[in-house]
Amino acid sequence: MSSAEQNPKSEGPRPPRLTAAAALAALEGLVLVAVGGYLVVQGLSGAGDERTAVTGGLTMIGLALLPLIAARGLFRLRSWSRGPAIITQIMALPVAWQLLQTNSVAIPAGIALAVVAVTSLVLLVNPETTQALGIGRRDAA
């Protein structure tokens, strides 16, 4: 597969649905970085179990790379970026479900995460998005 096939150039402006999908993926990544950073700070400041907080925080920061890289790829119209973006949303759905099962202030976070994940999935499988990314195109031989 040539470089041009992997990185199609869009004819005209980027579709708004693709821009929205990239923005939602970036938002998820930034939230993961923020929560991960908060956990690391809490762990290092002595609040709670230091090892668990720092390890959890660093894991969340590491997991943030997937949606952030996907968002950058979507914004640049890279066809490979849709896969990581979809995987991110599929991974977010069980997390949202678990947040919704609590009897605490985490319920609004679960609702927000579910809405973002489902909206992102709809945007990512939209024909306008797949066409802009050059996915599914068959050139006549």
Side-chain angles (χ1 to χ4, degrees), residues 41-141:
V41 169
Q42 288 294 332
L44 294 177
S45 68
D49 182 17
E50 177 182 341
R51 180 176 288 172
T52 302
V54 171
T55 302
L58 292 176
T59 300
M60 290 187 90
I61 292 170
L63 287 173
L65 292 176
L66 184 63
L68 290 173
I69 290 170
R72 184 170 187 227
L74 289 170
F75 190 73
R76 294 174 151 211
L77 300 174
R78 303 297 191 246
S79 61
W80 59 261
S81 62
R82 191 176 83 143
I86 289 175
I87 289 169
T88 298
Q89 306 320 315
I90 291 171
M91 289 180 358
L93 289 172
V95 175
W97 179 254
Q98 288 300 313
L99 291 171
L100 290 170
Q101 300 305 307
T102 65
N103 289 326
S104 70
V105 296
I107 292 174
I111 293 169
L113 182 57
V115 167
V116 168
V118 170
T119 301
S120 294
L121 283 170
V122 168
L123 291 170
L124 289 166
V125 299
N126 184 280
E128 186 179 321
T129 300
T130 57
Q131 183 180 7
L133 293 173
I135 297 171
R137 258 193 312 202
R138 303 282 188 245
D139 294 329

